[in-house]
Amino acid sequence: MTAPAPGGENSVPALLARNVAQHGNKAAYREKEFGIWQSWTWAEAAAEIDALAAGFLTLGANVGDHIAIAGRNRPALYWAMVAAQKAGCVPVPLYADAAAEEIAYALEHCGARFVVAGDQEQVDKIADIRDQLHELDHVIYLDGRGLRKYDHTHMTSYADLQKAGRAAGNMAEIEKRTAALGPDDKCVMLYTSGTTGRPKGVVLSNTNVIETSKNSAEFDHLRPGDEVLAYLPMAWVGDFIFSIGQAMWTGFCVNCPESAETMHTDLREIGPTYFFAPPRVFEQQLTNVMIRMEDAGRFKKWLFDKYMAVGRKIGPKILDAEPVSGMERFQYRLADWLVIGPLKNTLGLSRVRVGYTAGEAIGPEIFDFYRALGINLKQLYGQTEATVFITQQPDGEVRSDTVGVPSPGVELKIAENGEVFYRSPGVFVEYYKNAESTASTKDADGWVATGDAGFIEEGTGHLRIIDRAKDVGKMASGALFAPKYVENKLKFYPDILEAVVFGADREYCTAFINIDLTAVGNWAERNNIAYSSYQELSQHPRVLDTIEAHVAEVNKSVAADEMLAGCQVHRFLVLHKELDADDGEMTRTRKVRRRIVEEKFDDLIAALYGGQSEIYTETEVTYEDGRKGKITATLAIRDATVVNAGKVAAE
Amino acid sequence: MKDTVEPYVTDDGRTIGGVLMDMRNITLRFGGVEAIKDISFDIREGEIRAIIGPNGAGKSSMLNVISGFYNPQEGEVWFRGEKRPQMKPYQVARLGIARTFQNIALFEGMTVLDNIMTGRLTHMKSGMFWQALWVGRAEAEEVENRERVERIIDFLEIQAIRKTPVGRLPYGLKKRVELARALAAEPKLLLLDEPMAGMNVEEKEDMSRFILDVNDEFGTTIALIEHDMGVVMDLSDRVVVMDYGRKIGDGTPDEVRGNQEVIDAYLGVSHD
């Protein structure tokens, strides 16, 4: 464990200087490039950062300027954030896959003078919107491929800027600006994807970031020598805290994959000790394992089933340090040797000491699977405005249905309508240029509304989240309507990728379902079902039968909860396209934008409540390059078996 | 007109140098059939040169003459200011000419990486014996060549399939691997035989971007045959149009587009 900061270490650059002094020649960053893991020590990284910071100064960067960063996870872009801070500027990471107009909005809103862009793709997006951006001065690009012919009057390569910085001899000014960074100064600004309306720029101070990083690193006993894989969007607060905040605080090594597609290979090669993934990554891994086991030989399948059962029984007990008999311990060791160990190795999770998932609810089966493997997978609950951490699960108190106890330094309170409020050292400074939203989110005492409805479980003190507070409503009968609760149950089936449940102020609930192409496609292949497109597969009668059975099972489980029995899905349809961020139906962090889906597919909703058995529809889609197209489909609408609906409604 | 041999700079800032390859009065016969009839044209250093024409016009035969696979009965092939004698394809490869094939010709059972490594063969000097023993120069050579191959893998964005056997790849990716293998030879002149054949719009866009980037980044001279007129007109600096073994047009895309004979050939006016 790292000793507490001996004062004055209240900025990221200050922590960097400490790391250089304490373990300057240990690996700080790695990136796979040209098939080989390249690495940089803390001292080397600091030198790169200094050169870039000096380069920013040669371009005339002033204290307080915003410097936007757009690209995939690469050490050089992480350095750009720290370099911006050293130059007294504020880094603003942007989503690499955002469309040009989304980037335009953020750049315009923060008035960024400089953009550090990963490659030609990002440069092109900025070029498209350049005339709207009056304050944009200079673009710095990392990978110069394809850019040679571009007009370079307002463009420089990263390496050239560093060269200019090294030659400029302005380090004294850099050191002066770095030393002036105080605890209340802006550390970073992050745009929240927002399930409604325009993104908001969340300003986090140095205290927010450093206190939170310190608390959370100590909570999980993170230490130098830990390894993380940085593969989640740099614009997401979690990545900022894991790959910059905690990495700087503890001095562990940040590894960047070669490309987005090689993530799983790189994960296996690095074998991180501290690993974060949204539920969908774990889901996908599990789906892939199950698909491959279906295709495996009979003996292997038998071995897998037998020893996974052992793992499921004993693995979680060992993790929670519950008493385990000698025989059980032996069985688990055998299972580990035969199945679990090799499987973990294939998944790249052999060395994981602390694993987190957050963002969405995770299915109990998925959760149990990883716990059976002996992976210490925990849940946390957080948001950008809290600098990630609100609650998290301590070792030994891990459950799939709660999000844990308040993180160190966090106070919680539940409002009368069930909404969760928190107060912590991580509470954000403000929404940039949006005092109105700041005031409606954060009160004078520093309490912040999460927008989620939940309750604290008696006895354990764990927080349980039910749904987004504004989504929780009443049905026409007056019964409680909590769509997320039902959607999560549906999404736990590997066949179902996404579900959207409707029912506020209605007589009964209905649902849109998105099938998971990997799982359903594989099933179709094994059952000799031919299909030529996602759309065709989604409407195949046997697929609809399967989904109908899933919905019926979910209804049964929903009915078991008296309060929510009204939320059973009476009618559903399977959508002909995947909900997509490019079409605005989801956020970049893949959360469904309910209102937009509702508006866009109002014809389908009308049909669900209109009693038809099928509906013809036309939908506009946006391709990745921004062009639009149209798809048409006739969708079948099915009724699902409902349990005791009459009785509940009659109460 | 760009008929001078003085180097010039294109609108997009690339320098086109002197004549790299000069085809002089080439005639190629198969028995009594004249596949190519007395065709002359040149390929200049740094340019993208396209050969187009309807089916059976003799485009592939022309490419095979350039690559040394066919020897023309009449005419001369000049490469880098020297008359090229009759050569075996491997000798042509050593001259710095690499190609891709219309019907992909990769080693299906080998990985992408190994396939691309075969493209480095002309640059390996140690013999089979030393390579088998993995001593002396063989190891150093392997490391150096692997590094170059890795740069090409990075350039063509195929890192994720580096260790995948080629047989498992979809068509579009195979085409890209073939381009990678040709690039691995570090050719002076790269011949592409219908690089876009059988591709969808998105794959064509990707491939076009790679061809332009190769030309721009490595300064490789490229000669390509293509059916897709749109692609050709966007990509190339100069175009040769063939029909029934004859050259019916030669010039910039705009010049060729306005050529009446070319329009007739493509719209199908009767030939007599």
Side-chain angles (χ1 to χ4, degrees), chain A residues 99-102 577-585 588 600 619-631:
Chain A
E101 64 254 38
E102 293 169 9
K577 71 177 279 287
E578 271 188 42
L579 297 178
D580 196 336
D582 287 335
D583 292 325
E585 294 148 352
R588 292 276 159 208
K600 185 164 178 180
T619 313
E620 188 173 79
V621 290
T622 315
Y623 297 111
E624 255 175 52
D625 58 3
R627 282 180 302 177
K628 302 218 186 260
K630 202 171 248 186
I631 51 174

mmCIF file of all heavy atoms in Angstrom, chain A residues 99-102 577-585 588 600 619-631:
data_model
loop_
_atom_site.group_PDB
_atom_site.id
_atom_site.type_symbol
_atom_site.label_atom_id
_atom_site.label_comp_id
_atom_site.label_asym_id
_atom_site.label_seq_id
_atom_site.Cartn_x
_atom_site.Cartn_y
_atom_site.Cartn_z
ATOM 1 N N ALA A 99 -20.705 10.851 -33.039
ATOM 2 C CA ALA A 99 -20.887 11.428 -34.374
ATOM 3 C C ALA A 99 -20.388 12.871 -34.357
ATOM 4 O O ALA A 99 -20.252 13.480 -33.295
ATOM 5 C CB ALA A 99 -22.354 11.381 -34.758
ATOM 6 N N ALA A 100 -20.147 13.415 -35.566
ATOM 7 C CA ALA A 100 -19.569 14.758 -35.672
ATOM 8 C C ALA A 100 -20.391 15.802 -34.915
ATOM 9 O O ALA A 100 -19.837 16.657 -34.236
ATOM 10 C CB ALA A 100 -19.426 15.146 -37.134
ATOM 11 N N GLU A 101 -21.733 15.697 -35.016
ATOM 12 C CA GLU A 101 -22.513 16.765 -34.358
ATOM 13 C C GLU A 101 -22.473 16.669 -32.834
ATOM 14 O O GLU A 101 -22.537 17.684 -32.145
ATOM 15 C CB GLU A 101 -23.959 16.835 -34.877
ATOM 16 C CG GLU A 101 -24.804 15.637 -34.617
ATOM 17 C CD GLU A 101 -25.009 14.825 -35.878
ATOM 18 O OE1 GLU A 101 -24.050 14.703 -36.683
ATOM 19 O OE2 GLU A 101 -26.112 14.305 -36.073
ATOM 20 N N GLU A 102 -22.307 15.444 -32.320
ATOM 21 C CA GLU A 102 -22.158 15.297 -30.866
ATOM 22 C C GLU A 102 -20.845 15.939 -30.401
ATOM 23 O O GLU A 102 -20.805 16.640 -29.392
ATOM 24 C CB GLU A 102 -22.177 13.817 -30.473
ATOM 25 C CG GLU A 102 -23.527 13.146 -30.693
ATOM 26 C CD GLU A 102 -23.465 11.622 -30.550
ATOM 27 O OE1 GLU A 102 -22.441 11.096 -30.119
ATOM 28 O OE2 GLU A 102 -24.445 10.964 -30.888
ATOM 29 N N LYS A 577 -34.707 -4.231 -35.760
ATOM 30 C CA LYS A 577 -33.337 -3.693 -35.761
ATOM 31 C C LYS A 577 -32.847 -3.584 -34.327
ATOM 32 O O LYS A 577 -33.648 -3.477 -33.406
ATOM 33 C CB LYS A 577 -33.285 -2.324 -36.441
ATOM 34 C CG LYS A 577 -33.947 -1.206 -35.627
ATOM 35 C CD LYS A 577 -33.802 0.140 -36.309
ATOM 36 C CE LYS A 577 -32.474 0.803 -36.078
ATOM 37 N NZ LYS A 577 -32.266 1.356 -34.737
ATOM 38 N N GLU A 578 -31.518 -3.609 -34.185
ATOM 39 C CA GLU A 578 -30.971 -3.422 -32.848
ATOM 40 C C GLU A 578 -31.062 -1.955 -32.480
ATOM 41 O O GLU A 578 -30.795 -1.086 -33.302
ATOM 42 C CB GLU A 578 -29.503 -3.857 -32.813
ATOM 43 C CG GLU A 578 -29.326 -5.306 -32.480
ATOM 44 C CD GLU A 578 -27.868 -5.680 -32.258
ATOM 45 O OE1 GLU A 578 -27.150 -4.904 -31.617
ATOM 46 O OE2 GLU A 578 -27.469 -6.744 -32.742
ATOM 47 N N LEU A 579 -31.435 -1.686 -31.254
ATOM 48 C CA LEU A 579 -31.412 -0.309 -30.782
ATOM 49 C C LEU A 579 -29.956 0.157 -30.830
ATOM 50 O O LEU A 579 -29.062 -0.590 -30.461
ATOM 51 C CB LEU A 579 -31.959 -0.219 -29.359
ATOM 52 C CG LEU A 579 -33.424 -0.636 -29.218
ATOM 53 C CD1 LEU A 579 -33.851 -0.567 -27.761
ATOM 54 C CD2 LEU A 579 -34.343 0.223 -30.079
ATOM 55 N N ASP A 580 -29.744 1.380 -31.294
ATOM 56 C CA ASP A 580 -28.392 1.793 -31.615
ATOM 57 C C ASP A 580 -28.140 3.236 -31.204
ATOM 58 O O ASP A 580 -29.008 4.091 -31.336
ATOM 59 C CB ASP A 580 -28.199 1.655 -33.130
ATOM 60 C CG ASP A 580 -26.743 1.695 -33.515
ATOM 61 O OD1 ASP A 580 -25.948 2.260 -32.746
ATOM 62 O OD2 ASP A 580 -26.409 1.162 -34.580
ATOM 63 N N ALA A 581 -26.928 3.480 -30.719
ATOM 64 C CA ALA A 581 -26.574 4.844 -30.316
ATOM 65 C C ALA A 581 -26.535 5.786 -31.519
ATOM 66 O O ALA A 581 -26.850 6.961 -31.410
ATOM 67 C CB ALA A 581 -25.231 4.853 -29.600
ATOM 68 N N ASP A 582 -26.159 5.259 -32.692
ATOM 69 C CA ASP A 582 -26.100 6.114 -33.876
ATOM 70 C C ASP A 582 -27.476 6.631 -34.269
ATOM 71 O O ASP A 582 -27.599 7.671 -34.900
ATOM 72 C CB ASP A 582 -25.497 5.359 -35.067
ATOM 73 C CG ASP A 582 -23.994 5.161 -34.890
ATOM 74 O OD1 ASP A 582 -23.394 5.969 -34.163
ATOM 75 O OD2 ASP A 582 -23.454 4.212 -35.459
ATOM 76 N N ASP A 583 -28.510 5.874 -33.921
ATOM 77 C CA ASP A 583 -29.878 6.316 -34.204
ATOM 78 C C ASP A 583 -30.469 7.091 -33.036
ATOM 79 O O ASP A 583 -31.658 7.403 -33.040
ATOM 80 C CB ASP A 583 -30.778 5.116 -34.510
ATOM 81 C CG ASP A 583 -30.396 4.459 -35.826
ATOM 82 O OD1 ASP A 583 -29.992 5.198 -36.738
ATOM 83 O OD2 ASP A 583 -30.510 3.235 -35.944
ATOM 84 N N GLY A 584 -29.668 7.318 -32.015
ATOM 85 C CA GLY A 584 -30.139 8.087 -30.871
ATOM 86 C C GLY A 584 -30.994 7.287 -29.905
ATOM 87 O O GLY A 584 -31.505 7.822 -28.927
ATOM 88 N N GLU A 585 -31.164 5.993 -30.174
ATOM 89 C CA GLU A 585 -32.056 5.195 -29.326
ATOM 90 C C GLU A 585 -31.385 4.787 -28.016
ATOM 91 O O GLU A 585 -32.035 4.393 -27.063
ATOM 92 C CB GLU A 585 -32.490 3.937 -30.088
ATOM 93 C CG GLU A 585 -33.361 4.264 -31.287
ATOM 94 C CD GLU A 585 -33.175 3.267 -32.422
ATOM 95 O OE1 GLU A 585 -32.281 2.418 -32.341
ATOM 96 O OE2 GLU A 585 -33.942 3.355 -33.390
ATOM 97 N N ARG A 588 -24.264 6.537 -25.576
ATOM 98 C CA ARG A 588 -22.994 5.920 -25.970
ATOM 99 C C ARG A 588 -22.564 4.855 -24.974
ATOM 100 O O ARG A 588 -21.739 4.016 -25.284
ATOM 101 C CB ARG A 588 -21.899 6.976 -26.118
ATOM 102 C CG ARG A 588 -22.116 7.911 -27.288
ATOM 103 C CD ARG A 588 -21.603 7.335 -28.595
ATOM 104 N NE ARG A 588 -22.243 8.005 -29.716
ATOM 105 C CZ ARG A 588 -22.451 7.461 -30.906
ATOM 106 N NH1 ARG A 588 -22.062 6.234 -31.152
ATOM 107 N NH2 ARG A 588 -23.049 8.125 -31.853
ATOM 108 N N LYS A 600 -40.201 7.318 -31.435
ATOM 109 C CA LYS A 600 -39.811 6.815 -32.742
ATOM 110 C C LYS A 600 -40.685 5.644 -33.189
ATOM 111 O O LYS A 600 -41.022 5.514 -34.353
ATOM 112 C CB LYS A 600 -38.350 6.386 -32.669
ATOM 113 C CG LYS A 600 -37.783 5.960 -33.982
ATOM 114 C CD LYS A 600 -36.275 5.929 -33.915
ATOM 115 C CE LYS A 600 -35.727 5.453 -35.244
ATOM 116 N NZ LYS A 600 -34.283 5.402 -35.239
ATOM 117 N N THR A 619 -38.668 2.295 -40.751
ATOM 118 C CA THR A 619 -37.802 2.921 -39.758
ATOM 119 C C THR A 619 -36.592 3.538 -40.433
ATOM 120 O O THR A 619 -35.997 2.928 -41.319
ATOM 121 C CB THR A 619 -37.293 1.868 -38.753
ATOM 122 O OG1 THR A 619 -38.391 1.091 -38.328
ATOM 123 C CG2 THR A 619 -36.629 2.533 -37.562
ATOM 124 N N GLU A 620 -36.251 4.737 -39.989
ATOM 125 C CA GLU A 620 -35.047 5.374 -40.522
ATOM 126 C C GLU A 620 -33.846 4.891 -39.714
ATOM 127 O O GLU A 620 -33.905 4.818 -38.493
ATOM 128 C CB GLU A 620 -35.178 6.887 -40.413
ATOM 129 C CG GLU A 620 -34.060 7.606 -41.117
ATOM 130 C CD GLU A 620 -34.294 9.104 -41.156
ATOM 131 O OE1 GLU A 620 -34.033 9.734 -40.134
ATOM 132 O OE2 GLU A 620 -34.736 9.609 -42.207
ATOM 133 N N VAL A 621 -32.777 4.540 -40.404
ATOM 134 C CA VAL A 621 -31.564 4.145 -39.689
ATOM 135 C C VAL A 621 -30.403 5.025 -40.138
ATOM 136 O O VAL A 621 -30.390 5.522 -41.258
ATOM 137 C CB VAL A 621 -31.184 2.662 -39.942
ATOM 138 C CG1 VAL A 621 -32.165 1.734 -39.280
ATOM 139 C CG2 VAL A 621 -31.083 2.372 -41.428
ATOM 140 N N THR A 622 -29.448 5.208 -39.245
ATOM 141 C CA THR A 622 -28.264 6.004 -39.555
ATOM 142 C C THR A 622 -27.078 5.068 -39.616
ATOM 143 O O THR A 622 -26.852 4.294 -38.710
ATOM 144 C CB THR A 622 -28.012 7.050 -38.449
ATOM 145 O OG1 THR A 622 -29.259 7.659 -38.152
ATOM 146 C CG2 THR A 622 -27.018 8.084 -38.892
ATOM 147 N N TYR A 623 -26.332 5.130 -40.719
ATOM 148 C CA TYR A 623 -25.144 4.303 -40.827
ATOM 149 C C TYR A 623 -24.011 4.960 -40.060
ATOM 150 O O TYR A 623 -24.083 6.125 -39.700
ATOM 151 C CB TYR A 623 -24.765 4.093 -42.292
ATOM 152 C CG TYR A 623 -25.822 3.353 -43.049
ATOM 153 C CD1 TYR A 623 -26.574 3.989 -44.031
ATOM 154 C CD2 TYR A 623 -26.113 2.024 -42.753
ATOM 155 C CE1 TYR A 623 -27.573 3.320 -44.714
ATOM 156 C CE2 TYR A 623 -27.105 1.345 -43.427
ATOM 157 C CZ TYR A 623 -27.837 2.002 -44.412
ATOM 158 O OH TYR A 623 -28.821 1.328 -45.073
ATOM 159 N N GLU A 624 -22.919 4.180 -39.870
ATOM 160 C CA GLU A 624 -21.824 4.689 -39.060
ATOM 161 C C GLU A 624 -21.229 5.971 -39.609
ATOM 162 O O GLU A 624 -20.753 6.812 -38.858
ATOM 163 C CB GLU A 624 -20.724 3.629 -38.942
ATOM 164 C CG GLU A 624 -20.718 2.971 -37.575
ATOM 165 C CD GLU A 624 -19.729 1.843 -37.504
ATOM 166 O OE1 GLU A 624 -18.572 2.065 -37.844
ATOM 167 O OE2 GLU A 624 -20.141 0.730 -37.110
ATOM 168 N N ASP A 625 -21.260 6.138 -40.921
ATOM 169 C CA ASP A 625 -20.665 7.344 -41.484
ATOM 170 C C ASP A 625 -21.668 8.503 -41.540
ATOM 171 O O ASP A 625 -21.416 9.532 -42.155
ATOM 172 C CB ASP A 625 -20.098 7.065 -42.882
ATOM 173 C CG ASP A 625 -21.163 6.538 -43.835
ATOM 174 O OD1 ASP A 625 -22.331 6.458 -43.422
ATOM 175 O OD2 ASP A 625 -20.826 6.212 -44.982
ATOM 176 N N GLY A 626 -22.825 8.324 -40.900
ATOM 177 C CA GLY A 626 -23.771 9.424 -40.795
ATOM 178 C C GLY A 626 -24.843 9.444 -41.866
ATOM 179 O O GLY A 626 -25.807 10.208 -41.774
ATOM 180 N N ARG A 627 -24.707 8.608 -42.921
ATOM 181 C CA ARG A 627 -25.750 8.588 -43.945
ATOM 182 C C ARG A 627 -26.999 7.918 -43.406
ATOM 183 O O ARG A 627 -26.943 7.132 -42.476
ATOM 184 C CB ARG A 627 -25.254 7.843 -45.184
ATOM 185 C CG ARG A 627 -24.334 8.701 -46.025
ATOM 186 C CD ARG A 627 -23.886 7.935 -47.222
ATOM 187 N NE ARG A 627 -23.204 6.707 -46.804
ATOM 188 C CZ ARG A 627 -22.753 5.809 -47.660
ATOM 189 N NH1 ARG A 627 -22.917 5.974 -48.944
ATOM 190 N NH2 ARG A 627 -22.136 4.728 -47.218
ATOM 191 N N LYS A 628 -28.134 8.240 -44.005
ATOM 192 C CA LYS A 628 -29.376 7.663 -43.502
ATOM 193 C C LYS A 628 -29.961 6.693 -44.519
ATOM 194 O O LYS A 628 -29.754 6.818 -45.721
ATOM 195 C CB LYS A 628 -30.383 8.780 -43.216
ATOM 196 C CG LYS A 628 -29.846 9.788 -42.220
ATOM 197 C CD LYS A 628 -30.919 10.274 -41.275
ATOM 198 C CE LYS A 628 -30.412 11.381 -40.389
ATOM 199 N NZ LYS A 628 -30.034 10.995 -39.076
ATOM 200 N N GLY A 629 -30.686 5.737 -44.007
ATOM 201 C CA GLY A 629 -31.358 4.800 -44.875
ATOM 202 C C GLY A 629 -32.686 4.431 -44.249
ATOM 203 O O GLY A 629 -33.047 4.944 -43.189
ATOM 204 N N LYS A 630 -33.419 3.560 -44.913
ATOM 205 C CA LYS A 630 -34.727 3.214 -44.384
ATOM 206 C C LYS A 630 -34.885 1.709 -44.431
ATOM 207 O O LYS A 630 -34.491 1.075 -45.409
ATOM 208 C CB LYS A 630 -35.781 3.888 -45.257
ATOM 209 C CG LYS A 630 -37.109 4.051 -44.542
ATOM 210 C CD LYS A 630 -38.042 4.910 -45.359
ATOM 211 C CE LYS A 630 -38.302 6.245 -44.698
ATOM 212 N NZ LYS A 630 -39.300 7.033 -45.405
ATOM 213 N N ILE A 631 -35.425 1.112 -43.360
ATOM 214 C CA ILE A 631 -35.741 -0.306 -43.452
ATOM 215 C C ILE A 631 -37.226 -0.497 -43.163
ATOM 216 O O ILE A 631 -37.832 0.234 -42.388
ATOM 217 C CB ILE A 631 -34.897 -1.174 -42.481
ATOM 218 C CG1 ILE A 631 -34.945 -0.629 -41.061
ATOM 219 C CG2 ILE A 631 -33.478 -1.290 -42.945
ATOM 220 C CD1 ILE A 631 -34.257 -1.542 -40.070
#
